[in-house]
Amino acid sequence: MSTPPDTTSHAGPASHAGKPHSAAVRYLFVFGLGLVLGVVAVVMLLRALEARKTWQDHYPKATMHLLSAHSAQLRDALQANRCAATDVLPHLQALRVLGNDLEPAFADLRDDTRFATHAGKFRGAIDSALASPPLNCAGLKTTTEAIGADCKACHRDFRG
């Protein structure tokens, strides 16, 4: 004779081993999963719409940030008394390259003669500094003041 299988579980009375899940638990799980996926989809959609709506050209701001950063490096070199041409020339060269980007960065001002004049004066000041680089802090101070004056004149006319 065979003995009936042991129906006592070692997992304790709270174990659901062998009991099928009710339909309500399955529906609740699917509802929760759908809710989480729906929230994720809505957030992704809203961010895509916001990015599309607020898309703008970063070229003008990036150009100005880089010009500002290299000008700040020149001012820092002046304050740190590191005015040798080897410390100054890389930043002057970067400013000159960025000066070539002024008209393309500000396409709406490209045809304005005042803007073209300011951009030309800016490039001219840097060209003269590159032609005879400042060899001491007094020369660097004069150079940074000339470049700063050109920047301020343009900002006065176009930033308001």
Side-chain angles (χ1 to χ4, degrees):
M1 270 205 177
S2 66
T3 59
D6 185 18
T7 58
T8 60
S9 173
H10 296 292
S15 172
H16 295 293
K19 289 187 181 179
H21 292 290
S22 68
V25 172
R26 280 185 262 144
Y27 288 133
L28 185 61
F29 175 75
V30 171
F31 176 75
L33 183 64
L35 189 64
V36 168
L37 291 176
V39 167
V40 169
V42 166
V43 167
M44 289 174 61
L45 178 68
L46 289 176
R47 286 191 179 182
L49 289 174
E50 181 183 351
R52 183 176 168 196
K53 177 177 67 174
T54 62
W55 184 85
Q56 61 182 354
D57 186 14
H58 296 289
Y59 190 24
K61 286 185 180 180
T63 302
M64 287 293 111
H65 283 296
L66 286 170
L67 285 168
S68 176
H70 284 288
S71 296
Q73 290 292 325
L74 289 173
R75 283 190 305 273
D76 291 346
L78 184 62
Q79 289 177 351
N81 201 26
R82 294 185 51 105
C83 304
T86 55
D87 296 323
V88 172
L89 276 177
H91 299 294
L92 289 174
Q93 290 168 340
L95 286 173
R96 181 57 178 97
V97 170
L98 290 167
N100 291 337
D101 286 339
L102 290 174
E103 285 89 348
F106 296 96
D108 54 334
L109 298 173
R110 183 181 316 187
D111 296 329
D112 191 323
T113 56
R114 293 178 307 149
F115 183 75
T117 302
H118 288 304
K121 285 183 180 179
F122 175 78
R123 286 189 291 266
I126 296 172
D127 284 342
S128 65
L130 288 171
S132 63
L135 301 176
N136 55 31
C137 288
L140 179 58
K141 184 175 182 181
T142 303
T143 300
T144 56
E145 287 173 353
I147 293 170
D150 291 330
C151 291
K152 286 178 186 174
C154 187
H155 286 191
R156 183 180 56 246
D157 287 349
F158 292 102
R159 280 178 87 189

